[in-house]
Amino acid sequence: MFGRWVVLSLVLLHLVLCNEEKTGDSPNVYEPSWVFKCVVDEGCQRSNSPQPATNASGLVFESLEVCRTVCGRFGGLWPRPVTAALSTQTVQIHPNYLRYDLIDVPVEAREMVVQMTHVASGNLVDECDGNVTELVDTRVVVYITVKTANTDLTWDTDEQYMLDVQTKDGSVAVHIVAETVYGARHGLETFTQLVAPNKPPFSDNYKCSLRLVSGAKIRDRPVYKHRGLVLDTSRNFIPIDDIRRTIDGMAASKMNVFHWHVTDSHSFPFESTRVPQFTRYGAYSPYEIYTAEEVRELINYAKVRGVRVVVEIDAPAHSGNGWQWGKEYGFGDLAVCVNAKEWRRLCIQPPCGQLNPANPEMYRVLRDLYRDIAEALPKPALFHMGGDEVFFGCWNASEEITSYMKEKGYDTTVEGFIKLWAEFHQKALEIWDEEMIAAGTVNPQPVMLWSSELTQAHRISKYLNKERYVIEVWEPISSPLLTQLLRLGFRVVSVPKDIWYLDHGFWGTTKYSNWRRMYSHMLPREPNVLGGEVAMWSEYVDAQALDTRVWPRAAAVAERLWADPAPGAAAAEPRLQRHRLRLAARGLRSDVLSPAWCAQHDSHCL
């Protein structure tokens, strides 16, 4: 019996000693681990063998995240700024001793900047998974200067900023200077990217501190005004929390337009207080609806993060479920071909549905919907009217529509249906303008349309005013349409479907674009090229796979649109590796870029 107690005591003693070695409770015991060295022209390299943490010095770091934050010309910044000078030294900080000085922010804009600082502080804490365990009293003051009180977010908003970090006598001063609150927001985002978690990898004992670059001088501004992401929430419903998380990723990547393709022929989850039938007949269930209150909250959530919400109500095609109640309420057919079984001759994909331009009641209902949207969007509002993939066979199958066309003198030919299509957009724009005026907008604002047969170069000028319409071109890169529209004086947003469609490669004969291919595609640098978007269509994705399908590929497009850098993807990869971990800390499950060994040995897997 005595022998058993001795053996048990020795086992317990061994466990205690092992635990002390793991946790570092004993001041003289250090668990060897990997360290990372910043090597000029190569990046961060993992040590050849595990080393005691006390050996870290100079450009050798315990944390790969800290190494990436200081290594190279742009450290771990994403997207890369115009110019940056970064110290290779860091100082340990704690959010408890961080404060913001807003004395040079106009009173009218101060509340919004306060909300932006709360987001920034939360992002810092997230770097340590919500628990910064290593407390230090280093004083950090972020001085924010905003020159104008205007909080409108438009294509004309000045988003440039300057950021300086200085460390002196044990305290840190961060200066952010911007013309607008949105430039200041971008500066705050860059400030958070100058901070990295210092946590030993593979340790059972969780300890995490934050290290801030001790000195920095950054000057930055975007190349393109419109840096967007399209999210389709009609084909498969995406919960509002997942949309917020997507907007968090956009903010981290300095994207500024959330293009919300909220309705299609499949479902109508967008609540209209004036026309409750839309969601009653069009939502997949009572639980898969975006309420008017949720929409308003999301718009504000995005605005605080420097993101403009552009609501798209696709029409006159892609309009089915949600519109099929007209006869029941005495309004006639608001839409035709809805849920038609023989869909291949009537629409691009099941279920079918196109608005009925021969029915004046349809325009009355559309007005009520537009009024709801005009009241919800911040002014000046940007609205997307959809406008693509009209199938003439659907309209031609309706006796009501063909009779209307004859009364108007339109032949039931391609050009006749083009005239009917253009008439719809003319009336829809007039309704939108009237509702915007009623909502307080003085000057008519441009609206967006998808490229289509109506926007082809040989006919667009006949039907669409270049001062009123911005065309979103989703043609393949081989198409001449983008160049042709520019020559005609139209403003464009580019989303080349064979490069920047995130759903491609998961269905049919489409080709998957990895982040390198997306990053390498460049847009023309012309004033009428407002920018571009990366698109997540949801036929084959829902909330379960959303993050990995979107990120980090959308971030690659974000840097292309913000910085449009000349160097290729290989030079960008170490920074994107750091950004991927940053997104993960903020709750986004980004897809992996490479094997972990490659991530720990920059430039060795090119």
Side-chain angles (χ1 to χ4, degrees), residues 226-230 255 257-259 310 384 448 450 472 493-496 500-501 523 531-535 557 561:
H226 188 112
R227 308 178 302 280
L229 184 149
V230 185
M255 303 179 86
V257 177
F258 176 64
H259 174 173
V310 177
H384 201 302
M448 296 185 70
W450 289 109
E472 184 159 14
V493 170
S494 178
V495 50
W500 286 356
Y501 268 29
L523 302 183
E533 294 183 350
V534 58
V557 177
L561 294 172

Side-chain angles (χ1 to χ4, degrees), residues 368-387:
D368 285 339
L369 174 61
Y370 281 4
R371 184 174 299 175
D372 284 335
I373 296 170
E375 290 175 355
L377 292 177
K379 309 302 178 292
L382 178 59
F383 182 47
H384 201 302
M385 289 186 168

Side-chain angles (χ1 to χ4, degrees), residues 300-439:
N300 184 67
Y301 184 93
K303 191 172 183 180
V304 169
R305 287 155 181 79
V307 176
R308 185 184 195 185
V309 175
V310 177
V311 172
E312 178 190 348
I313 303 295
D314 208 347
H318 294 280
S319 301
N321 288 286
W323 289 93
Q324 73 272 44
W325 48 271
K327 280 188 175 180
E328 185 177 342
Y329 284 79
F331 293 164
D333 285 327
L334 301 175
V336 295
C337 309
V338 179
N339 298 332
K341 188 174 181 180
E342 296 181 0
W343 62 269
R344 283 181 172 82
R345 65 182 180 85
L346 301 173
C347 62
I348 190 69
Q349 65 178 187
C352 295
Q354 289 183 182
L355 296 184
N356 180 2
N359 184 354
E361 294 296 330
M362 181 274 292
Y363 288 107
R364 187 179 71 78
V365 173
L366 191 68
R367 178 182 294 277
D368 285 339
L369 174 61
Y370 281 4
R371 184 174 299 175
D372 284 335
I373 296 170
E375 290 175 355
L377 292 177
K379 309 302 178 292
L382 178 59
F383 182 47
H384 201 302
M385 289 186 168
D388 66 330
E389 296 184 325
V390 171
F391 265 54
F392 300 146
C394 173
W395 279 345
N396 199 34
S398 166
E399 184 178 343
E400 179 184 2
I401 293 176
T402 55
S403 295
Y404 174 81
M405 292 176 67
K406 291 176 183 178
E407 292 175 7
K408 297 284 291 186
Y410 300 162
D411 295 331
T412 52
T413 61
V414 169
E415 288 307 314
F417 284 111
I418 288 288
K419 290 178 181 178
L420 181 64
W421 187 354
E423 177 189 298
F424 167 82
H425 281 302
Q426 177 186 351
K427 291 181 177 180
L429 183 60
E430 289 173 358
I431 292 171
W432 175 252
D433 285 346
E434 289 167 3
E435 294 310 316
M436 286 297 295
I437 291 171

Side-chain angles (χ1 to χ4, degrees), residues 44 72 80 135 180 184 198 305 395 401 451 457 469 488 530 576:
C44 292
R80 57 173 275 185
L135 183 64
T180 69
N198 193 42
R305 287 155 181 79
W395 279 345
I401 293 176
S451 59
Y469 291 98
L488 291 171
L530 300 178
L576 189 55

